[in-house]
Amino acid sequence: MKEQLEEIRRRALDELTDGASDQQIEAVRVRVLGRSGELTEVMRGMREVPQAERPAIGQLVNQIKRELEERIEALKLRLRQGALERSLAEARLDVTLPGARVPRGRIHPVTQILERMLDIFVSMGFEVAMTRDVEDDFHNFEALNFPPDHPAREMQDTFLVGGGLLLRSHTSNGQIRVMEERKPPLAVVCPGRCYRRDELSVRASPMFTQIEGFMVDRVGRITMGHLKGVLIEFLRAFYGPETGVRFRSSYFPFTEPSAEVDIHCLLCKGAGCRVCKHTGWTEILGCGMIHPNVLRAVKLDPEEFQGFAFGFGVERPALLKLGVDDMRLFFENDLRFLAQFPSLAGGAA
Ligand code: DAH
């Protein structure tokens, strides 16, 4: 019986080599140590062993059992460690590999130009107020002194939304909204989107950006002279200190007197070229002293208050400033185009 046990042990240890797999180890365990395994079988045969030899045989069985269990445990531990090391080696991070580039967003060129313009007004003490794109007839037209049948309403070819609402055709509604809520003195610029039923073309878009600005205070405190001063200051800060500026008298329902402002054509600097139709000048904004009827519409007495207003589009100056020759490029959002305008301001990324 002893030889039989030694044989079981030898065979088992032969199979439990250093390179044994999980399955091989498990097979040996079940065959030798399992409930109906070889060692159990030997114990069953104990009855035939003479009484005197039984303790020695029992001891041998236990010893073999322990020995094999330890061997199996050691092998399994090794396997687990090996697996861990392999998976760590496979998943090793190579910090020298170049990273995947995350594409960096940029501020839209029109927004960059808008922000630069607003910065100039802020530096002169204006505050910025956003009003609303969906407006009613009163704030877009009536309060701005457009009579119901005024041809300018036709001229502006407005998008109607229904329910008496429309998409504002200019940011002049900002004047009305702000003055309804707050009393002068006021110096405010209202940037925002405007909408008109124009086809998208090289020079126009049905959606565009404007800045409306106005200043109101007690009569006598704000004159046409201040209007000229503020606008010349703004235009020279934006287009350069040498820029030629001229005021021409004009007409708007919401200002009296009204003026349009031209600057020297940026391309020919006043000499005359194809872009300025050989005039040397480019029309850039509208302005004037706020009409008494506009002040009345926001319940300000024109005997007591007075102010100026101006308004202009942002896309055309952006075209000139950035040397872009087609308005449509601003709205197509082709990243190859947009990526050409990293932050102009140098600050905002
Ligand atoms: N609202 C005018 C437009 O859309 C621009 C404008 C002209 C605004 C004269 C003004 C102004 O405040 O005084 O063309």
Side-chain angles (χ1 to χ4, degrees):
M1 179 150 288
K2 208 168 157 215
E3 293 78 62
Q4 203 187 336
L5 285 168
E6 293 295 354
E7 174 62 17
I8 291 172
R9 167 207 238 162
R10 201 183 45 74
R11 226 163 27 98
L13 287 177
D14 272 356
E15 286 173 50
L16 293 172
T17 58
D18 283 352
S21 71
D22 242 338
Q23 292 96 311
Q24 285 167 331
I25 296 169
E26 188 58 13
V28 174
R29 194 188 65 76
V30 171
R31 193 189 73 226
V32 182
L33 303 171
R35 250 200 288 158
S36 45
E38 291 170 349
L39 286 182
T40 320
E41 285 304 311
V42 171
M43 292 301 276
R44 282 219 187 98
M46 278 293 242
R47 261 169 278 137
E48 274 122 63
V49 176
Q51 192 77 35
E53 292 175 25
R54 282 186 197 170
I57 297 289
Q59 236 171 25
L60 184 57
V61 168
N62 282 336
Q63 191 196 325
I64 293 174
K65 220 171 166 176
R66 228 176 305 123
E67 198 181 337
L68 292 181
E69 275 168 0
E70 274 166 21
R71 176 73 181 147
I72 285 171
E73 211 29 63
L75 284 178
K76 283 192 167 171
L77 185 68
R78 239 163 101 146
L79 278 174
R80 277 201 300 276
Q81 272 169 350
L84 181 64
E85 271 159 27
R86 262 196 311 282
S87 88
L88 284 177
E90 275 164 22
R92 192 157 60 201
L93 188 69
D94 181 353
V95 293
T96 67
L97 275 176
R101 266 185 200 284
V102 178
R104 192 153 163 221
R106 290 187 161 86
I107 308 260
H108 192 282
V110 171
T111 307
Q112 292 191 33
I113 293 284
L114 176 71
E115 285 177 355
R116 188 191 275 192
M117 289 172 161
L118 293 175
D119 279 350
I120 298 171
F121 285 114
V122 167
S123 77
M124 288 193 270
F126 283 77
E127 60 178 296
V128 179
M130 310 289 284
T131 59
R132 54 184 85 188
D133 291 34
V134 178
E135 215 13 307
D136 52 33
D137 184 89
F138 177 78
H139 293 87
N140 193 80
F141 291 120
E142 197 181 325
L144 288 159
N145 197 36
F146 289 79
D149 55 355
H150 195 286
R153 291 193 187 215
E154 246 62 62
M155 248 162 54
Q156 296 207 339
D157 223 354
T158 312
F159 285 110
L160 303 180
V161 185
L165 297 176
L166 48 83
L167 298 183
R168 68 172 165 201
S169 57
H170 51 185
T171 43
S172 303
N173 68 326
Q175 274 186 54
I176 307 302
R177 289 278 168 197
V178 172
M179 286 194 288
E180 273 178 340
E181 282 181 12
R182 296 166 50 197
K183 290 273 160 283
L186 290 168
V188 182
V189 277
C190 303
R193 299 269 189 239
C194 310
Y195 310 83
R196 288 182 204 173
R197 293 186 51 192
D198 282 325
E199 291 296 326
L200 182 60
S201 71
V202 174
R203 308 206 66 223
S205 157
M207 180 193 76
F208 56 99
T209 314
Q210 274 191 345
I211 296 179
E212 177 84 10
F214 64 97
M215 207 163 164
V216 189
D217 204 342
R218 302 212 161 262
V219 163
R221 289 182 61 93
I222 295 183
T223 67
M224 194 92 182
H226 295 112
L227 168 62
K228 288 182 75 176
V230 165
L231 290 179
I232 290 171
E233 180 74 20
F234 165 74
L235 293 170
R236 299 228 162 113
F238 185 75
Y239 290 104
E242 306 298 325
T243 311
V245 179
R246 77 176 181 191
F247 287 70
R248 270 183 296 111
S249 85
S250 183
Y251 170 78
F252 300 101
F254 34 89
T255 43
E256 181 58 37
S258 303
E260 278 178 299
V261 177
D262 301 334
I263 55 165
H264 263 154
C265 171
L266 295 184
L267 223 66
C268 62
K269 308 248 181 310
C273 68
R274 207 167 40 86
V275 171
C276 60
K277 301 196 182 81
H278 303 284
T279 63
W281 295 95
T282 312
E283 190 247 301
I284 207 86
L285 60 78
C287 61
M289 299 305 289
I290 297 176
H291 196 288
N293 287 348
V294 174
L295 295 171
R296 284 188 197 101
V298 293
K299 307 204 163 49
L300 290 179
D301 180 358
E303 301 292 320
E304 209 183 325
F305 295 99
Q306 192 178 24
F308 66 72
F310 58 86
F312 58 88
V314 175
E315 278 80 6
R316 286 222 190 123
L319 288 176
L320 294 175
K321 192 91 180 169
L322 302 175
V324 175
D325 59 5
D326 189 337
M327 176 95 70
R328 290 170 293 194
L329 289 165
F330 285 147
F331 300 102
E332 282 167 355
N333 287 334
D334 184 331
L335 290 178
R336 290 169 303 177
F337 170 74
L338 297 177
Q340 295 175 58
F341 307 100
S343 180
L344 298 167

